[in-house]
Structures are given as structure tokens and as C-alpha cells.
Amino acid sequence: MTLRYLITGATGGLGKQVLNYFTANIPLSEFAAASSNAANKSIFENRGIAFRHVNYDDPQSLETGLRDVENLLLVSTGDRHRGQQHASVIEAAKKAGVKHIWYTSLAFGGFQDTSKAPVMQDHLLTERLLKESGLTYTSIREGAYAECFTVFLDWDPERSGTITLPADGEVAFTSRAELGEATARIMIRGGYVNQIVLFTAGETITAREIVDILNETTGRQIKLDLVPREEYLRTWMVDPRGKPREHFEMIVLFWDEIVKGSLRTTHPLLREILGREPTKPRDFVRKLLLEDRNYVFQY
């Protein structure tokens, strides 16, 4: 029996949002949820949702899990081997006769392929593999999650006084829930064949603006201190949290890209697909902090 849609990563932050939209708007017979953990089967079947075991590192699960699937949502992994994992899924999808792959990429660089962000390199590789596969695909470059603003600012509510960063710049932070909904909507709508599309909020926000919102909503008096890149990297030696140097190198690389404008691009497609204005970054951050003054992003 042909399965119209298969949603991988269905227990993750984005995949869960996609699945929620499908569950509310599409007959249960037309889609299934997939997870790398076979033990998650009951989570979905208890809701009347069909389940398939799809582990990107397990060729057998890929062979059986992708069988008779028309539209595959390939949710990118956070694994350091994700380039190879995505390659394995694409090859298995080709063998299984999948009709269309919808891939969740990132918006570093907007529509350009020039980003040097390490996190973006595997996405660029995956997009290239999709183009070379001969499969029909759509790569959805999704804006940086607004929920992740604490990661970009290295914000820890237990610390007070100053947030130190190596730079500041504009980021089109975008709600993950809205990205999930729009991803589901675009799959159901169809089209965008062999294209890269961009989902972002309609506005940007800077670290300084976020700090202002943080102070307004929580009553804190946090200051933003911008220091030279090399000075910032040296702060790992005196970090009271014991974070390794690699943590600070990651933050530096994020802001290197932001300064270049890699996350500044906005595009109206998210608004078009949602049928409403996406939540503005400042409104989203304010809402999170009003709900929880000690909010931090949970991976």
C-alpha cells in the first residue's frame, strides 16, 4: 500500500510540529511517523498514527522504512556524521522509488551557497547530493530558530551582569512551531520541484535588542559587552561554568557569519505558506521570557 507522506524525526522539535499539523489536517491513513528508535512505536500508534522505524545509520531500516513512500520529509540530524547519514537516506530513497524528498536545511547564506559556517557545510553537501540523485526534491532552508536565541547569546540565567560576545548583527530568528507548520503545509500543497526555498521571519533582531527585551521583561540589568574575537576566545580559561574552548569557538563562528549577513536575509514565502504574518523575532523572544524569565533553549 502506498504511503503518501512519511515524516522522519517525528519526536524531534521540528518533526513534532510537522506531525501535529498533519494529524489535525490530513487523514491518518495518508501519513506515518518515523523515528530512529523502534521503541517509540507505541507513542504514535496510541494516537492512531502509523509508525515506521527509520534509522539513518541502519541500511535495513532504511530499506523497509522507505518502501512505497511518495513524499519523504528528510529531517536533518544533529549528528556530526550527518553528511554521511543524509547520503545514506538519499540513496535508500532512490532505491525505494520515493517520489519527492522534502529536506530541512538551514538559512545560513540565504539563497547563496557561500556560507562558511561549519553547521551549514553538511546541508550544502546534502543539497548537492539531492541535485545529483535524479530524485525530485525541495530543500527548505529554515531560519535560525527563535527558541535558540539563548544559544547565540550564550545566555545563562544563573549568571548576571554582562553578556559578552565577539560581535553583533542582524538575525531573522524564526519560530520553530511556525517552521514546522509551514513545512507541513508546503508538503501538502506540493510544487517547488527541484528548488531551494527560504522560510524566515519577516524581520531581524540584534543581540543588543534581545538584551534590551531581556531586561524589560525580567527586570534584570544585563549589559552587552562586545570584545575582540581573540579576547572572546580567551574567556574560556576563566569561564565559571567550565565550558570548553570548543564552545566559545562555536559562538565565534556563529557571529562571524552573522556579521557577514548570513542570517539577515528575509523572504515572504513563510508568510505566503502560513497565510498570515510570521511572529516577529522581538515578539517571540518577549513571549518566551514573559512565560519564563529563566528561559533557556533545551536541545
Side-chain angles (χ1 to χ4, degrees):
M1 177 180 173
T2 299
L3 183 66
R4 193 171 179 189
Y5 305 100
L6 179 64
I7 303 161
T8 66
T11 58
L14 181 69
K16 187 183 299 183
Q17 300 294 339
V18 175
L19 185 65
N20 287 343
Y21 188 85
F22 269 89
T23 303
N25 294 279
I26 296 294
L28 294 178
S29 60
E30 293 191 8
F31 66 93
S35 171
S36 61
N37 186 353
N40 286 331
K41 180 178 181 179
S42 61
I43 295 175
F44 302 105
E45 292 190 342
N46 288 342
R47 297 169 59 190
I49 301 170
F51 175 79
R52 293 197 180 187
H53 178 218
V54 176
N55 186 321
Y56 295 179
D57 294 315
D58 179 0
Q60 182 59 48
S61 79
L62 290 174
E63 180 181 343
T64 57
L66 303 187
R67 190 172 295 156
D68 299 320
V69 171
E70 291 186 355
N71 289 272
L72 170 66
L73 177 63
L74 170 52
V75 174
S76 57
T77 75
D79 192 281
R80 62 191 180 92
H81 300 298
R82 67 179 154 210
Q84 181 55 53
Q85 290 175 323
H86 295 170
S88 298
V89 176
I90 292 168
E91 183 60 29
K94 189 173 181 178
K95 290 180 180 178
V98 170
K99 299 292 188 294
H100 193 130
I101 292 182
W102 303 83
Y103 174 62
T104 62
S105 185
L106 283 179
F108 276 90
F111 285 108
Q112 304 300 313
D113 297 340
T114 55
S115 173
K116 301 301 180 186
V119 71
M120 190 64 193
Q121 301 313 299
D122 286 334
H123 293 291
L124 294 174
L125 169 63
T126 303
E127 289 177 351
R128 186 167 69 251
L129 292 174
L130 286 168
K131 292 174 185 175
E132 295 171 352
S133 70
L135 289 166
T136 298
Y137 72 90
T138 305
S139 182
I140 307 167
R141 292 190 180 180
E142 303 191 328
Y145 294 162
E147 291 86 346
C148 284
F149 80 88
T150 59
V151 176
F152 285 78
L153 268 63
D154 200 17
W155 159 244
D156 182 345
E158 298 302 317
R159 302 167 69 196
S160 61
T162 302
I163 290 176
T164 303
L165 290 175
D168 195 3
E170 298 177 62
V171 180
F173 280 120
T174 310
S175 159
R176 181 168 61 181
E178 291 178 345
L179 287 170
E181 178 186 339
T183 298
R185 282 176 175 268
I186 200 173
M187 290 177 66
I188 295 166
R189 176 173 172 170
Y192 303 95
V193 173
N194 298 338
Q195 293 183 32
I196 292 172
V197 300
L198 190 63
F199 280 170
T200 72
E203 296 183 5
T204 62
I205 195 170
T206 65
R208 190 168 300 281
E209 290 171 324
I210 291 176
V211 171
D212 287 343
I213 293 170
L214 195 157
N215 289 332
E216 291 168 9
T217 55
T218 69
R220 291 180 168 94
Q221 294 183 335
I222 304 298
K223 295 181 180 178
L224 176 63
D225 186 18
L226 301 180
V227 300
R229 192 178 192 276
E230 291 306 314
E231 181 179 337
Y232 180 80
L233 284 172
R234 288 195 295 271
T235 60
W236 77 273
M237 293 184 287
V238 294
D239 181 63
R241 301 166 298 174
K243 296 279 187 180
R245 179 181 171 87
E246 290 75 16
H247 171 81
F248 294 89
E249 289 174 343
M250 176 191 73
I251 300 297
V252 162
L253 290 171
F254 280 157
W255 287 100
D256 283 349
E257 287 290 307
I258 291 169
V259 168
K260 294 175 186 175
S262 287
L263 291 176
R264 185 177 61 206
T265 304
T266 62
H267 195 272
L269 182 60
L270 182 60
R271 181 182 69 236
E272 177 189 331
I273 297 297
L274 290 176
R276 63 181 187 275
E277 287 291 336
T279 306
K280 297 176 181 178
R282 57 178 49 82
D283 292 339
F284 195 89
V285 170
R286 182 175 288 109
K287 180 176 183 294
L288 288 176
L289 290 168
L290 286 172
E291 291 174 350
D292 180 2
R293 71 186 304 272
N294 295 320
Y295 170 81
V296 290
F297 177 69
Q298 300 296 325
Y299 289 92

